[in-house]
Amino acid sequence: MGHRTYREWRKAVIVRDRAMCVECGDKQELNVHHLLPYAKFQQFRFDIWNGITLCKICHARTHSINKVTI
């Protein structure tokens, strides 16, 4: 699976989340965050339920707050 699969997954998550950050509602600088870590859960990398749309600021905050090892 290559970049195309990632782009399709990212777009599907953003569309599902109505093109806004699920934390603050911002619509600028959107990122898609993997709920289950990308590196550890390869089988779920491109499942739509394993992603949420976050703005750049909320995404950075999520990574700094959630230093959880699964």
Side-chain angles (χ1 to χ4, degrees):
M1 288 190 223
H3 297 297
R4 183 177 182 188
T5 303
Y6 175 80
R7 284 192 309 267
E8 290 170 355
W9 170 80
R10 183 181 185 281
K11 182 178 179 180
V13 173
I14 290 172
V15 167
R16 182 204 60 208
D17 294 339
R18 299 182 312 198
M20 71 174 81
C21 176
V22 300
E23 293 290 325
C24 72
D26 194 353
K27 294 186 175 203
Q28 303 298 314
E29 298 187 80
L30 297 177
N31 297 178
V32 176
H33 174 71
H34 283 91
L35 297 169
L36 295 175
Y38 184 90
K40 291 185 178 183
F41 293 91
Q42 295 179 18
Q43 70 273 31
F44 301 125
R45 281 183 178 173
F46 303 113
D47 283 347
I48 193 170
W49 60 264
N50 189 33
I52 57 170
T53 304
L54 298 171
C55 69
K56 182 179 178 181
I57 293 169
C58 290
H59 192 211
R61 186 179 312 127
T62 298
H63 279 281
S64 67
I65 293 171
N66 294 328
K67 299 268 183 190
V68 177
T69 304
I70 295 177

